[in-house]
Amino acid sequence: MMANVDWWMIGEATIDTLLMTGFSLLFTVLIGLPVGVLLFLSSPGQAMDNRAVYQTVAFVVNVLRSVPFLILLIVMIPFSRLVVGTALGVQGSIPPLVASAAPFFARLVENVLRELDPGVNEACRAMGATSRQTVLWALLPEATTGILAAIVVTAITLVGYSAMSGVIGGGGLGDLAVRYGYQRYQGDVMAVTVVILVIMVQVFQVSGDRWVARLNRR
């Protein structure tokens, strides 16, 4: 049965999925990290306590998180075409992937910062450190382990999202599963894509757990 599988095509789809996940994760961290820090700092009782800013940012984050990814894929087709020139393939999938994952990662970062010892923040205030200095020199270094764990969780989430993008021709293993496994009833292709996605998630999880464990020992 597996003799009918085009392994070259499977390999290309796997690389596309890794590219989608990698680039989306990069932009997700670049956007979600500062948003998460802003949510934490502007929340009640923190250094930049600002109810209007916190509620505005939290509202945007909650709206994006509440929209199902498949709907977001369709809604963002015009935006993807405007930004990257296409709504298909690896490039066209990155904007909706980032739009969906960045708010999720931002909330994870906010929660990690909330779990830090309040004494760290208070000590920085007592020494006259600015909010920027407190974040760069104290909060982020202390939260490194938690943020790395959040990145691993987000990466695994993006693998699943990238597979769903195949519904609208997003490329990668999801697109292969839809076009060949579902539409052409090729169960062998569907099985191979599922196995590769499972292996990919396991590799991300195990590698991430090891990095977190190393940081904890330090």
Side-chain angles (χ1 to χ4, degrees):
M1 186 176 180
M2 291 297 178
N4 297 324
V5 175
D6 187 338
W7 293 104
W8 178 261
M9 183 174 60
I10 293 287
E12 287 186 329
T14 302
I15 292 173
D16 285 347
T17 296
L18 290 172
L19 288 174
M20 275 191 288
T21 302
F23 281 110
S24 299
L25 182 62
L26 173 62
F27 290 116
T28 293
V29 172
L30 290 177
I31 295 172
L33 182 59
V35 172
V37 171
L38 178 60
L39 281 170
F40 172 73
L41 291 178
S42 61
S43 62
Q46 298 303 327
M48 296 170 56
D49 187 342
N50 189 312
R51 184 181 181 88
V53 171
Y54 179 79
Q55 289 188 342
T56 300
V57 178
F59 175 76
V60 174
V61 167
N62 291 338
V63 167
L64 289 174
R65 287 185 62 196
S66 64
V67 179
F69 182 65
L70 286 177
I71 295 177
L72 192 63
L73 274 172
I74 298 171
V75 170
M76 288 192 64
I77 286 177
F79 179 78
S80 297
R81 287 174 177 167
L82 179 65
V83 174
V84 297
T86 180
L88 303 176
V90 174
Q91 288 182 325
S93 298
I94 291 176
L97 284 171
V98 175
S100 182
F104 172 74
F105 180 68
R107 282 299 190 187
L108 292 180
V109 170
E110 181 191 9
N111 291 335
V112 168
L113 293 175
R114 288 188 185 280
E115 292 174 0
L116 295 179
D117 184 353
V120 175
N121 210 352
E122 293 172 1
C124 292
R125 290 185 186 180
M127 291 185 292
T130 64
S131 297
R132 180 179 180 182
Q133 291 170 333
T134 300
V135 170
L136 295 179
W137 297 351
L139 295 181
L140 290 182
E142 285 290 324
T144 299
T145 302
I147 291 175
L148 179 57
I151 291 174
V152 174
V153 172
T154 305
I156 292 172
T157 301
L158 281 169
V159 171
Y161 284 171
S162 68
M164 282 190 279
S165 68
V167 173
I168 63 167
L173 292 168
D175 181 54
L176 206 63
V178 171
R179 288 192 295 116
Y180 291 88
Y182 176 71
Q183 295 179 350
R184 302 186 185 183
Y185 304 101
Q186 294 184 10
D188 49 356
V189 174
M190 181 71 77
V192 170
T193 57
V194 170
V195 170
I196 293 176
L197 287 170
V198 170
I199 292 174
M200 200 177 294
V201 168
Q202 292 300 315
V203 169
F204 286 170
Q205 187 68 68
V206 171
S207 300
D209 289 345
R210 288 181 178 177
W211 290 337
V212 171
R214 287 180 183 177
L215 285 176
N216 278 331
R217 285 197 293 267
R218 293 177 184 177

